Amino acid sequence: MLTHLSIHNYALINQLTIDFTKGLSIITGETGAGKSILLGALGLVMGNRADLSSLKDTEKKCIIEAQFSVEGYALQELFEELDLDYEQETIIRREILPSGKSRAFVNDTPVTLSVLNALKTKLIDIHSQHQTIQLSDVSFQFSVIDALAKNQAKIASYKRGLRTYNKLRKELKALQEETEKSKEQYEYNLHLFNELEEANLKEGEQEILEEKLDKLNNIEEIKLNLSEALGVSINEEIGIQTLLNSLEGRLQKISSFSKEYEELANRVTSVKIELDDVVTELESANEEVEFNPNEIEELNDRLQLIYNLQKKHSASTIIELQEIHALLSEKVAQVEDAGGIVAQKEGEIKDVAKKLDEVAKMITTSRNKVIPKLKKELEYLLSELGMPNARFAIELLSLEEYLSNGKDNLQFLFSANKGGNFGELKKVASGGELSRIMLSIKKILSENIQLPTIIFDEIDTGVSGEVSNKIAKIMQDMSAHMQVITITHLPQIASKGVQHYKVFKGEEKGVTTSNLKLLSEDERIREIAEMLSGKDVSESALTHAKELLN
């Protein structure tokens, strides 16, 4: 509930501080005294747009601060979603700077206007004749019925299921579109896949083939140089082997004379052993070298296949071709397996739809149970409020489609006159009738769910006599379950409050200001007497005022 409101430099208000309590609070005052300014200030602190016209002194900033006691409102989860520190005594502050910029804070944490608006629906409900258009909104009508039916948990479950259902349907549509698109390319992709499959490319194969081909294309030069290398090595007269044998023999003859000669002889022997190995490999290589035109042709054909595939797929290596092969395999398999994948997704959707239908049926059943009760209570309350012939026709129509809150369509029709035709509220009910209908609905809701603070802004306009007493009684009953603040011109309603505030105009340094004060018992008697008889208060008016208060 709203426990404190502080306003500084706003409209006609210099500085104003108000404390509120539980129950029914009354605000009265002459027309133009500034009652609407209070509502405007509350609207600003709860997220309404602001401009420089909000500032009384355009050289100073405007500050509006509201404190709410939110214990019992179950708002911890909402605060967590909004990334706010939860405090049982939550303070919301709005500042409008002389530059025109504004800032907002919740428990000293800077927030955006969207955060304030999210909190607003949970903390305060400003109700005037202008708000009655909400009555014709089907979503509001559903919210009333669902509140009485205690459908909140069922609808939350339904909405989770609906999100899953819509997600799966979206995935199915994308899958079907992709399948159709893939089918158009299937034959071509299959051809490309088979081509690469038959090629059976191996990593590193291209480099090996190019090396072999280069060797075969230069076979004559290789053969000539191998033969000459062998001649240089093994010639009996001048070959390297012959010369090394001679060198080895000379050094071995003198190796016993010193370690130096011995080491030289050993080194030559090592060179000779290495050369013998080289000569053996040269002989082997020379024997293996053969000119094979068939092999050259095979190598050329294989390399040309690789080059053609690389050009076709804009690839530069066999690894890239292998990656393309894997991708084509997936595309081909997707089309070939599409029927099974689509069927699986359709099965998932069917399972979710079955559960959705079960929850939707439970929601419909509980709605149908409370509609007769709602209809009866509304008609009774409206009869008490001077509308004895008011009748409602509330019907649920089952649909096949999934809506945001179930599978029902709602007809909420009204007739104000005996024998009159039923019609939409906004078409057949007057402004005063709509106000009384909304008051009745809020009264019923207050007894069934935790409502935020409600402010009634002169919804009693055009009402008098016994009806005003009934309105006052309804507000008083509502205040047993929630905080109710009422701006009124009627003494019958003003007398029912736990506390009574008066808005009045004053003057400071030649400038008109709006002020508000909490009335004492005597001040309250006089205020109600003035509401009864005008400024010239008579003794009978004072007596009547005391009677109303008692």
Side-chain angles (χ1 to χ4, degrees), residues 338-544:
I341 297 172
V342 169
Q344 181 182 349
K345 189 66 68 177
E346 288 174 339
E348 291 177 27
I349 291 172
K350 188 176 180 180
D351 290 341
V352 173
K354 183 180 178 181
K355 293 175 183 176
L356 264 182
D357 289 339
E358 291 171 358
V359 178
K361 187 176 180 180
M362 288 191 289
I363 292 171
T364 301
T365 300
S366 54
R367 283 170 175 170
N368 278 318
K369 282 183 181 178
V370 300
I371 284 176
K373 179 185 175 184
L374 173 62
K375 180 177 178 295
K376 183 178 179 180
E377 287 192 39
L378 279 176
E379 290 173 354
Y380 168 76
L381 288 171
L382 289 175
S383 178
E384 291 287 293
L385 293 173
M387 298 171 63
N389 297 315
R391 295 290 180 271
F392 287 91
I394 307 173
E395 292 183 2
L396 284 179
L397 303 175
S398 295
L399 303 175
E400 290 301 318
E401 62 183 304
Y402 296 106
L403 304 178
S404 62
N405 62 351
K407 296 180 70 175
D408 301 322
N409 189 19
L410 178 64
Q411 283 193 334
F412 204 104
L413 305 178
F414 174 71
S415 172
N417 303 309
K418 195 171 185 178
N421 294 325
F422 286 98
E424 294 180 38
L425 281 168
K426 63 182 178 181
K427 293 181 179 179
V428 299
S430 66
E433 288 169 340
L434 287 172
S435 289
R436 280 177 266 183
I437 294 170
M438 181 64 94
L439 176 61
S440 301
I441 286 175
K442 291 293 173 72
K443 162 70 164 58
I444 295 169
L445 287 176
S446 70
E447 297 171 350
N448 289 274
I449 61 173
Q450 179 69 54
L451 286 176
T453 294
I454 189 166
I455 300 177
F456 290 111
D457 179 18
E458 298 183 356
I459 68 161
D460 49 31
T461 301
V463 175
S464 60
E466 184 59 24
V467 173
S468 62
N469 287 326
K470 296 292 185 181
I471 291 176
K473 180 65 168 61
I474 287 175
M475 291 181 179
Q476 200 170 35
D477 290 345
M478 289 177 67
S479 69
H481 306 284
M482 61 185 295
Q483 184 185 45
V484 180
I485 300 171
T486 299
I487 298 172
T488 183
H489 288 293
L490 296 180
Q492 294 91 335
I493 294 176
S495 64
K496 295 295 187 291
V498 175
Q499 55 184 359
H500 188 155
Y501 298 92
K502 180 176 181 178
V503 180
F504 61 95
K505 280 185 177 179
E507 189 176 300
E508 292 181 19
K509 298 179 182 180
V511 178
T512 300
T513 61
S514 282
N515 297 282
L516 181 138
K517 66 179 292 188
L518 177 62
L519 300 181
S520 65
E521 186 68 22
D522 290 340
E523 289 171 332
R524 191 174 182 190
I525 291 170
R526 184 164 186 85
E527 173 68 8
I528 292 174
E530 286 185 9
M531 295 173 75
L532 288 165
S533 65
K535 287 292 184 181
D536 297 326
V537 177
S538 64
E539 285 298 322
S540 62
L542 289 170
T543 301
H544 191 186

Side-chain angles (χ1 to χ4, degrees), residues 306-319:
I306 292 172
Y307 295 151
N308 290 341
L309 289 172
Q310 287 175 339
K311 183 178 180 181
K312 190 172 194 175
H313 294 281
S314 300
S316 56
T317 65
I318 284 181
I319 292 176

Side-chain angles (χ1 to χ4, degrees), residues 251 253-265:
L251 291 175
K253 288 180 179 180
I254 62 173
S255 62
S256 59
F257 300 134
S258 78
K259 284 188 177 182
E260 180 184 357
Y261 302 151
E262 184 180 4
E263 287 179 4
L264 287 172

